[in-house]
Amino acid sequence: LQLLPLAALSTKTVSALALRRAAERNALRAVRRPTGWYSTKTWVSAYTKNRGKRRAIAGWRDLASAHDLPGGEVVLISTVISEAD
């Protein structure tokens, strides 16, 4: 795997800035060097493939989980917990 600057890995659908922000929040596998952020074509491809998938966040009243299905679909399963009297 060859590490390339994020600017070299940007495309029409994802800018270098979007890749940098994804790297900073650990959504994109990347390496930070003194000269900037670097990643690989494989890592960027994996990021763009999974980008935009929604994940459920569990709250104290509503426990939810996301299940990825073949084809990239996401199903949310939710259960409401009643409050104790």
Side-chain angles (χ1 to χ4, degrees):
L1 297 175
Q2 183 181 7
L3 288 173
L4 299 170
L6 295 184
L9 296 167
S10 64
T11 66
K12 291 180 183 178
T13 59
V14 63
S15 68
L17 178 60
L19 292 174
R20 182 177 59 85
R21 289 184 176 158
E24 289 171 345
R25 68 176 187 274
N26 294 321
L28 167 66
R29 190 170 174 189
V31 176
R32 186 163 190 183
R33 293 185 173 168
T35 55
W37 284 96
Y38 291 77
S39 190
T40 69
K41 289 181 181 181
T42 303
W43 295 346
V44 170
S45 177
Y47 164 71
T48 56
K49 179 181 173 186
N50 293 319
R51 188 173 74 147
K53 286 189 179 180
R54 302 186 82 176
R55 298 284 184 236
I57 299 173
W60 67 276
R61 294 187 68 176
D62 184 19
L63 297 179
S65 60
H67 299 278
D68 293 329
L69 299 176
E73 296 176 318
V74 176
V75 174
L76 297 177
I77 299 174
S78 178
T79 305
V80 176
I81 300 171
S82 62
E83 295 178 20
D85 293 351

